[in-house]
Amino acid sequence: MIFAANFKTNHTRKSTKKYIETLLTKIIAKKEGDKVYIFPPATALDQFCGDVILGAQNAYMAQNGAFTGEIGLEQLEEFEIKTILIGHSERREILGESQTFIAEKFAYFQSHGFEIVYCIGEPLEVRQQGQHSVVEYLLSQFEGIDTSYEKLIVAYEPIWAIGTGRSATLEEIGNTHEALKKTLQKPLLYGGSVKPENSKEIIAIRGVDGLLVGSASLDAENFAKMITD
Ligand code: 13P
């Protein structure tokens, strides 16, 4: 199983360090083979010893250069970061990243051998149209993406379930993962209002290879609970 924590715009450099220290003491009990990823804000990127993989929530597709407000490869290399989240719905919707732009970013980090956690997810109006529309919508989010990339992990995060406290039902997750797995032989995470109260039943669903957790991951003990329960 893969357990990934997306801090979004939460935590500081100082609190991230403390968080990882706490988490490491708690996840000694994790199952062999399980992998833990932390995506802190860019200001908290650093090198940590221990059984967690640190990734970037975002970066620009350049070594360095004139891209005000962005970080590039050079800033990630300083901390040996080799994992990145691409395509998160908040970047698509709030930051206006288009599929073309996302695909370019994907190709760039693929060419640099990054492990890529690629996020997809449908808005509520698509979910309301039924499962067929959902799958069609999700598959369209792979336009321009090399789905055969060996270091690709996909995260299915229905937009209406993110930060709302309302996770998709077990049936919705199961059906969607099953449909995606027909065209995608990659690890597939679920994200969207995952918390200790529902994590166990979600990871038990066939086709779910792990979790991408936002709000409920911000507390190290809470996140550790989802990993070790
Ligand atoms: P929440 O767990 O807060 O719903 O966020 C999920 C998410 O967007 C992780 O990338």
Side-chain angles (χ1 to χ4, degrees):
M1 281 290 152
I2 293 171
F3 297 91
N6 177 8
F7 286 0
K8 309 189 179 182
T9 316
N10 299 289
H11 275 300
T12 61
R13 188 169 189 77
K14 200 169 160 184
S15 68
T16 299
K17 188 169 180 287
K18 202 156 167 253
Y19 178 102
I20 292 176
E21 280 165 11
T22 309
L23 188 73
L24 286 172
T25 64
K26 307 270 170 199
I27 60 170
I28 293 171
K30 80 177 171 62
K31 288 176 205 71
E32 214 185 307
D34 282 358
K35 286 168 93 178
V36 179
Y37 291 78
I38 310 284
F39 295 89
T43 55
L45 291 177
D46 208 338
Q47 270 171 310
F48 294 95
C49 293
D51 205 4
V52 291
I53 299 160
L54 219 63
Q57 290 176 23
N58 177 51
Y60 194 72
M61 49 226 182
Q63 176 75 22
N64 51 31
F67 307 104
T68 302
E70 294 289 295
I71 57 168
L73 209 54
E74 184 174 289
Q75 287 72 34
L76 298 179
E77 280 169 351
E78 182 179 11
F79 305 114
E80 291 177 15
I81 306 292
K82 289 296 278 179
T83 304
I84 188 165
L85 274 184
I86 293 181
H88 195 283
S89 62
E90 283 150 16
R91 294 209 62 87
R92 292 179 192 261
E93 304 235 309
I94 305 171
L95 282 307
E97 290 192 2
S98 67
Q99 186 60 32
T100 310
F101 180 82
I102 289 168
E104 271 177 53
K105 200 189 283 200
F106 187 101
Y108 180 82
F109 285 98
Q110 175 179 1
S111 74
H112 287 277
F114 273 63
E115 185 167 37
I116 299 174
V117 179
Y118 184 69
C119 306
I120 55 168
E122 84 285 359
L124 187 58
E125 58 272 22
V126 173
R127 172 53 70 181
Q128 285 165 340
Q129 287 160 19
Q131 182 68 9
H132 181 76
S133 305
V134 170
V135 175
E136 193 174 59
Y137 185 92
L138 297 176
L139 293 179
S140 77
Q141 293 188 310
F142 288 105
E143 204 179 301
I145 302 296
D146 177 3
T147 52
S148 69
Y149 180 44
E150 72 272 16
K151 292 185 187 165
L152 167 64
I153 297 170
V154 175
Y156 167 54
E157 301 200 298
I159 298 173
W160 48 272
I162 295 178
T164 57
R166 178 192 161 196
S167 162
T169 64
L170 301 182
E171 194 187 351
E172 285 166 334
I173 300 170
N175 289 344
T176 309
H177 277 234
E178 192 189 326
L180 288 171
K181 286 270 184 179
K182 282 188 185 140
T183 48
L184 202 75
Q185 283 77 47
K186 295 290 166 189
L188 186 53
L189 317 183
Y190 170 77
S193 295
V194 179
K195 41 189 180 274
E197 295 75 26
N198 62 15
S199 61
K200 217 172 167 173
E201 48 190 19
I202 294 175
I203 55 178
I205 301 172
R206 222 173 73 195
V208 172
D209 303 304
L211 305 170
L212 179 54
V213 191
S215 359
S217 75
L218 295 177
D219 177 78
E221 309 226 354
N222 240 4
F223 187 46
K225 226 181 275 171
M226 294 183 245
I227 299 166
T228 57
D229 255 11

